[in-house]
Amino acid sequence: MSLPRVHLFEWNDLEAAPEVLRETVVESLSRTLRWGGILRGLVAPFREFLAEAGVDEVLDLGAGAAGPARVLADEIQRAGAVPPRFILTDLHPRLEPWEEARAAHPGIIDFEPTPVDATAIPAALSQGRARMIINALHHLEPHLARALLADAVRSGAGIFVAEGFGREPLRFPTMWPAGLPSLLLNPFLSHRHRVQKALLTYLTPFVFAASAWDGFVSTLRVYTEEELRAMVAPLGEGFRWRYGVFRYAPLGKGYYFYGVPRR
């Protein structure tokens, strides 16, 4: 029996929180995904999703600092396959890291520079493209998560959801081997505000406390398989839905959930 879902606040969601703190949390998480090999187990199910959806372009919803798209692109290439073309989108675009991601992955990663509401994506942007949201659906309250899934079904676009953990707070420390070095080195690797981030990281406890809080709360916000299936149940029989888990060292376990139109 899983814990009840609790939608407590996360620092990186709060506009009132200092920008350097929010950036540090997002940047460190993106680097943790790479250094910890956390998304490597997603390559096979993600490629199956693309094949079933019949697309080679994907809108990355809630793209953040571009971490998931960059890591997936690299992991797919590492597996000897050709990645799809990722289009980064967000309600709050982060153009500087997105431009770096595009330069590092020419022809593979691009972005939409204007704000994009994941619950109401314009038809011109959606046409011919599937959608993915990695490590971000838990930021949405249930009515918004349902709206995001419903918009994908209405548009006939396949949707791929993944989270790096389930609703199991005791598994959150499995991210620490990569997460702690990522936090410590972030001031040197960040795109901007390096001095402010160094002062915040090395002279105060805020960065570590906020990251630990956000990680713990994220595990309480994550949707279960039953909740996800209940969200899509009213959307009709036009989509096929699949749920699965993936694992990463040392004891990490995440999930994926995707829907594709029935042919």
Side-chain angles (χ1 to χ4, degrees):
M1 183 176 179
S2 64
L3 296 170
R5 185 177 187 276
V6 181
H7 199 89
L8 301 174
F9 82 91
E10 292 188 42
W11 287 101
N12 68 333
D13 287 341
L14 294 180
E15 293 187 11
E19 184 179 31
V20 292
L21 177 61
R22 288 185 282 118
E23 281 190 1
T24 294
V25 172
V26 173
E27 291 167 353
S28 299
L29 177 58
S30 294
R31 204 167 291 112
T32 298
L33 296 179
R34 178 179 300 280
W35 290 0
I38 290 171
L39 300 186
R40 195 163 295 153
L42 273 186
V43 170
F46 185 66
R47 290 182 62 197
E48 291 171 5
F49 161 73
L50 294 173
E52 292 179 32
V55 298
D56 56 9
E57 293 195 4
V58 180
L59 293 180
D60 185 3
L61 311 180
R70 295 189 69 165
V71 172
L72 269 180
D74 289 343
E75 293 291 354
I76 291 171
Q77 288 180 315
R78 188 195 308 272
V82 178
R85 183 168 176 254
F86 295 95
I87 310 298
L88 310 176
T89 73
D90 205 301
L91 193 59
H92 304 287
R94 297 173 181 265
L95 300 185
E96 195 168 353
W98 290 6
E99 288 169 351
E100 181 183 306
R102 181 170 63 182
H105 298 79
I108 295 175
I109 293 180
D110 206 341
F111 59 85
E112 170 53 49
T114 62
V116 174
D117 180 351
T119 68
I121 296 176
L125 184 60
S126 178
Q127 185 67 35
R129 292 167 172 157
R131 305 175 185 185
M132 76 176 195
I133 179 165
I134 310 292
N135 285 347
L137 190 69
H138 69 271
H139 289 289
L140 305 183
E141 294 189 59
H143 71 283
L144 292 174
R146 284 193 296 268
L148 181 149
L149 294 167
D151 189 66
V153 170
R154 274 195 306 272
S155 70
I159 174 77
F160 187 93
V161 178
E163 299 276 7
F165 34 74
R167 197 179 299 165
E168 301 173 279
L170 293 180
R171 284 187 182 268
F172 173 59
T174 60
M175 286 193 169
W176 290 359
L180 288 176
S182 177
L183 276 175
L184 286 169
L185 295 174
N186 188 66
F188 300 101
L189 302 174
S190 185
H191 297 281
R192 58 180 188 169
H193 304 319
R194 290 183 177 180
V195 173
Q196 296 95 316
K197 289 173 182 174
L199 294 173
L200 191 67
T201 300
Y202 305 134
L203 299 183
T204 78
F206 293 148
V207 163
F208 297 95
S211 296
W213 172 263
D214 279 11
F216 173 74
V217 168
S218 292
T219 66
L220 298 178
R221 282 178 161 193
V222 167
Y223 294 102
T224 64
E225 178 181 5
E226 292 74 17
E227 290 165 344
L228 291 167
R229 292 193 181 279
M231 287 180 186
V232 300
L235 302 179
E237 299 296 324
F239 267 51
R240 291 183 291 104
W241 299 94
R242 179 184 172 191
Y243 181 94
V245 299
F246 65 98
R247 299 182 184 274
Y248 52 91
L251 297 171
K253 183 176 75 171
Y255 81 76
Y256 61 88
F257 180 69
Y258 70 75
V260 293
R262 294 184 186 275
R263 301 299 179 186

